């Protein structure tokens, strides 16, 4: 049955092409130089506002901590989802266990592209699908504010995810569908500034849609 051989051959070739396309398409993409140039010198006072708008403490503070202790960003909260349990890591200024050794470019690639300094994809449980809409200058300010927070040693436990969700590379394909820096809700030219500023807070740092929209609806492009 020569046709069967041909069919199997075609399937193998198509499978190979698909695998190569999937591998290439899922590669982590970092910010371009043009965007990195907009990070600016960073202003900690402005960054404080972004830090609270972004709700970083709700996931990265030690679970159950109160008051100023919430600024010790040691991580460890368990975010239980249908994919498994995500654990926000230590993002304090500790150079070994936190992000004290990160550059502002590292933070920008994490927040705007979901890519770690070593080139791994982050899981979107870290709401960078919203943060990706933030202005680079706000990331520069946020970085300056994070620098004023304490260094606290201690690694948070690792995520615990089942197959295939434990394979980070697959997130690259998810990003092709869902990662965008474009606004979700289009507004016509001439929309008043406070409305535009409010949209920015809601869709960007405030990441309201991460909880208040239906899971997995692709953003409008
Ligand atoms: C809804 C929970 C949540 C919020 C809110 C959140 N994060 Fe995270 N963050 C995570 C999770 C979960 C991870 C780990 C993702 C992974 O394992 O890929 C993470 C990872 C990170 C990392 C990577 C750290 C490392 O060691 O690789 C940085 C940096 C970070 N977050 C900064 C922030 C900042 C800054 C804010 C506020 C603007 C913030 N996060 C808000 C959940 C959150
Ligand atoms: C991490 C998930 C999450 C994010 C992010 C989030 N919310 Fe919520 N929100 C909730 C939950 C859960 C409730 C219900 C709380 C309750 O009933 O105690 C809620 C309640 C509300 C309510 C009250 C609704 C009512 O009918 O009582 C408003 C208003 C609201 N959120 C607005 C916002 C806005 C605006 C943002 C962005 C700045 C936002 N939320 C971001 C999870 C979230």
């Amino acid at each position: 049955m020569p046709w069967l051989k041909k069919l199997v051959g075609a399937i193998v070739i198509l499978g190979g092409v698909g695998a190569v396309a999937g591998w290439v398409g899922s590669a982590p993409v970092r910010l371009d130089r043009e965007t990195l140039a907009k990070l600016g010198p960073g202003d900690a006072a402005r960054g404080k506002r972004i830090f609270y708008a972004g709700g970083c403490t709700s996931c990265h503070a030690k679970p159950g901590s109160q008051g100023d202790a919430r600024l010790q960003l040691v991580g460890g909260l368990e975010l239980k989802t249908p994919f498994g349990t995500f654990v926000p890591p230590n993002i304090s200024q500790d150079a070994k266990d936190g992000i004290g050794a990160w550059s502002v470019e590292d933070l920008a690639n994490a927040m705007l592209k979901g890519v770690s300094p070593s080139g791994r994809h982050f899981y979107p449980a870290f709401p960078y699908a919203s943060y990706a809409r933030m202005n680079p200058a706000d990331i520069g300010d946020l970085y300056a504010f994070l620098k004023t927070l304490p260094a606290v040693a201690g690694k948070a436990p690792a995520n615990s995810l089942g197959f295939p969700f434990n394979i980070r590379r697959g997130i690259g394909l998810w990003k092709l569908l869902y990662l965008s820096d474009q606004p979700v809700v289009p507004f016509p030219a001439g929309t008043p500034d406070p409305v535009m500023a409010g949209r920015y807070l809601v869709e960007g740092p405030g990441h309201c849609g991460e909880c208040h929209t239906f899971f997995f609806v692709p953003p409008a492009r």
Side-chain angles (χ1 to χ4, degrees), residues 53 58-59 127 201-203 205-212:
S58 31
C59 289
L201 283 176
V202 165
E203 295 184 353
H207 68 279
C208 316
E210 302 272 346
C211 302
H212 289 287

Side-chain angles (χ1 to χ4, degrees), residues 50-60 73 77 79 86-91 97-99 102 106-107 110-111 114-117 120-128 131 134 139 142 146 155 158-159 161 168 171 205 207 210-211:
I50 295 296
F51 176 79
Y52 284 109
C56 315
T57 56
S58 31
C59 289
H60 289 281
L73 302 173
L77 182 72
L79 301 171
F86 294 96
V87 185
N90 182 332
I91 60 160
D97 297 334
I99 61 168
W102 283 31
D106 291 336
L107 183 69
M111 302 265 311
V115 177
S116 80
R120 286 191 319 168
H121 289 301
F122 286 119
Y123 288 99
F126 169 22
Y128 61 80
Y131 297 153
M134 290 171 65
I139 305 291
L142 176 63
L146 289 173
K155 283 247 179 255
N159 296 327
L161 308 169
R168 285 183 184 261
I171 302 166
H207 68 279
E210 302 272 346
C211 302

Side-chain angles (χ1 to χ4, degrees), residues 65-221:
S65 56
Q66 301 281 329
D68 279 356
R70 297 203 49 85
L71 295 175
Q72 303 194 359
L73 302 173
V74 285
L77 182 72
E78 292 193 343
L79 301 171
K80 294 199 165 63
T81 76
F83 309 107
T85 301
F86 294 96
V87 185
N90 182 332
I91 60 160
S92 80
Q93 290 301 309
D94 190 85
K96 189 167 68 69
D97 297 334
I99 61 168
W102 283 31
S103 65
V104 64
E105 289 84 4
D106 291 336
L107 183 69
N109 274 306
M111 302 265 311
L112 303 178
K113 288 289 184 187
V115 177
S116 80
S118 66
R120 286 191 319 168
H121 289 301
F122 286 119
Y123 288 99
F126 169 22
Y128 61 80
S130 297
Y131 297 153
R133 297 192 168 83
M134 290 171 65
N135 297 331
D138 282 343
I139 305 291
D141 294 345
L142 176 63
Y143 180 82
F145 177 70
L146 289 173
K147 281 281 166 209
T148 69
L149 298 180
V152 193
K155 283 247 179 255
N159 296 327
S160 129
L161 308 169
F163 181 81
F165 306 115
N166 55 350
I167 302 184
R168 285 183 184 261
R169 185 71 184 218
I171 302 166
L173 298 176
W174 176 92
K175 285 181 178 176
L176 290 179
L177 291 172
Y178 300 108
L179 192 61
S180 164
D181 59 2
Q182 295 303 303
V184 181
V185 179
F187 280 135
T191 303
D193 285 351
V195 178
M196 299 301 277
R199 175 180 71 177
Y200 175 71
L201 283 176
V202 165
E203 295 184 353
H207 68 279
C208 316
E210 302 272 346
C211 302
H212 289 287
T213 56
F214 186 72
F215 212 37
F216 282 159
V217 175
R221 282 176 193 270

